[in-house]
Amino acid sequence: MIKKILASVLMSVSAAAFAVPFGSQSVLVIEDGTGKVLLEKNADRVVSIASLTKLMTAMVVLDANQNMDEMIAIHQRDVDTLKHSTSRVPVGAKISRRDVLHLALMSSDNRAAASLARTFEGGTVGFKAAVRAKIRALGMTHTVIEEPTGLSPANKSTAGDLVKMAAAAATYPTIVEMTTDAKDMIRINGRRVEYRNTNRLVGAKGWDIGLSKTGYTEEAGRCLIMRITTAGKNATLVMLNAKSSSSRVLDALNIRRFINNGESPVMAKASTRKPTLRKRAKVASKQKRRRR
């Protein structure tokens, strides 16, 4: 009985009063439909957003009604020369625009995202103009997106603005389907190659995910947008600038537990690694000196 009362109180107080030990520097959790803020931490802080950018890229591409069956040749210009990130999509490969979009969303491939902007009507100039128009239309007043991949630290937003972007992206069935695929086979240069979702929670037991996008750069840290259904409730989660992937996942677990019934947060486990032989020798030496 006491536990139920406590859970009710926690759900009614401001998010700031709920001491979830978030590893993410910015967090916003919104109840879909009502817009009620369930949890909040630094939601108005403007930060780099890394590959969360690709949700905007996808919306703009789909809005343009380009031929999704058209074959796109991956060009040398699509190669990342800023962060030198790797890609399993070779230069010269010809891939349908639909599969390129799939790679950009599910596997967060940067060459794929870059090629979508390059082949946009009007090229990268036309792409940037379309992105700016979309940002204005969604009322994302604290957002700047300069390029399609998220590699640039100049792509910045807030958790509050990104909730708006997530809500808009969730109205595109193609984006929902592609971001919630745990894995898929993509045909590249005549052979089928398996690609996996960058969010390991997609397809995991107990998770009902309706939209997903991860992001990472050194400036942005580990980022995640998800729409989830849990305990009959629908919510949008935005987590920005976590220090590690495990910290990002732990935040998501704690948020789900809170939405379910206000359960106590999961705490990170202390390290159980045994000390090295060298460290044990140093400790033994110190103890020996003390005994002297």
Side-chain angles (χ1 to χ4, degrees), residues 46 135-136 138-144 156-158 160-161 164:
V46 177
I135 288 172
R136 288 194 300 271
L138 295 179
M140 298 171 66
T141 55
H142 302 290
T143 299
V144 174
K156 293 187 175 184
S157 189
T158 65
D161 270 10
K164 297 176 184 178

Side-chain angles (χ1 to χ4, degrees), residues 45-288:
R45 181 178 292 177
V46 177
V47 295
S48 296
I49 60 172
S51 287
L52 301 184
T53 297
K54 292 183 175 79
L55 287 178
M56 179 62 72
T57 297
M59 285 192 288
V60 167
V61 168
L62 292 170
D63 286 347
N65 291 317
Q66 293 181 281
N67 182 358
M68 299 303 286
D69 294 321
E70 180 184 351
M71 301 302 286
I72 294 178
I74 303 301
H75 195 275
Q76 185 64 37
R77 283 179 291 170
D78 302 325
V79 175
D80 169 27
T81 57
L82 179 63
K83 300 289 187 181
H84 304 287
S85 58
T86 59
S87 172
R88 294 169 62 208
V89 182
V91 172
K94 292 185 177 181
I95 311 169
S96 71
R97 181 174 279 107
R98 180 177 289 101
D99 284 345
V100 169
L101 181 62
H102 201 172
L103 287 169
L105 289 174
M106 181 182 69
S107 296
S108 205
D109 190 274
N110 293 313
R111 290 182 191 177
S115 72
L116 290 171
R118 177 176 53 80
T119 60
F120 195 81
E121 185 176 352
T124 56
V125 174
F127 172 81
K128 288 181 181 180
V131 167
R132 287 194 292 270
K134 191 70 171 180
I135 288 172
R136 288 194 300 271
L138 295 179
M140 298 171 66
T141 55
H142 302 290
T143 299
V144 174
I145 293 178
E146 297 292 344
E147 52 83 41
T149 67
L151 290 167
S152 171
N155 287 13
K156 293 187 175 184
S157 189
T158 65
D161 270 10
L162 293 175
V163 162
K164 297 176 184 178
M165 185 175 76
T171 65
Y172 294 74
T174 297
I175 296 178
V176 170
E177 179 182 354
M178 290 182 175
T179 64
T180 56
D181 277 342
K183 60 182 179 179
D184 202 357
M185 303 293 289
I186 306 294
R187 184 171 293 278
I188 297 179
N189 289 341
R191 66 189 186 93
R192 291 167 62 82
V193 182
E194 184 178 82
Y195 288 84
R196 292 181 176 273
N197 202 302
T198 52
N199 180 5
R200 67 186 189 185
L201 295 177
V202 172
K205 183 178 180 180
W207 285 90
D208 184 356
I209 298 175
L211 181 78
S212 169
K213 189 69 198 79
T214 63
Y216 171 73
T217 61
E218 185 177 351
E219 296 86 357
R222 303 286 175 175
C223 305
L224 179 62
I225 284 177
M226 285 199 302
R227 291 195 120 199
I228 67 171
T229 299
T230 182
K233 303 170 187 175
N234 300 312
T236 298
L237 289 57
V238 176
M239 294 169 283
L240 307 174
N241 197 17
K243 298 303 181 185
S244 66
S245 294
S246 59
S247 178
R248 181 174 64 188
V249 169
L250 186 62
D251 284 349
L253 287 167
N254 280 329
I255 290 169
R256 189 180 67 168
R257 286 168 65 87
F258 174 75
I259 294 173
N260 282 351
N261 52 18
E263 289 182 16
S264 299
V266 178
M267 303 298 290
K269 292 182 179 179
S271 175
T272 57
R273 290 185 300 175
K274 293 182 180 179
T276 62
L277 288 172
R278 185 176 179 181
K279 188 170 183 179
R280 290 204 298 269
K282 287 178 70 176
V283 171
S285 178
K286 286 182 180 179
Q287 291 174 342
K288 187 175 181 180

Side-chain angles (χ1 to χ4, degrees), residues 1-7:
M1 181 66 181
I2 293 176
K3 186 176 180 181
K4 289 183 179 180
I5 294 173
L6 178 60

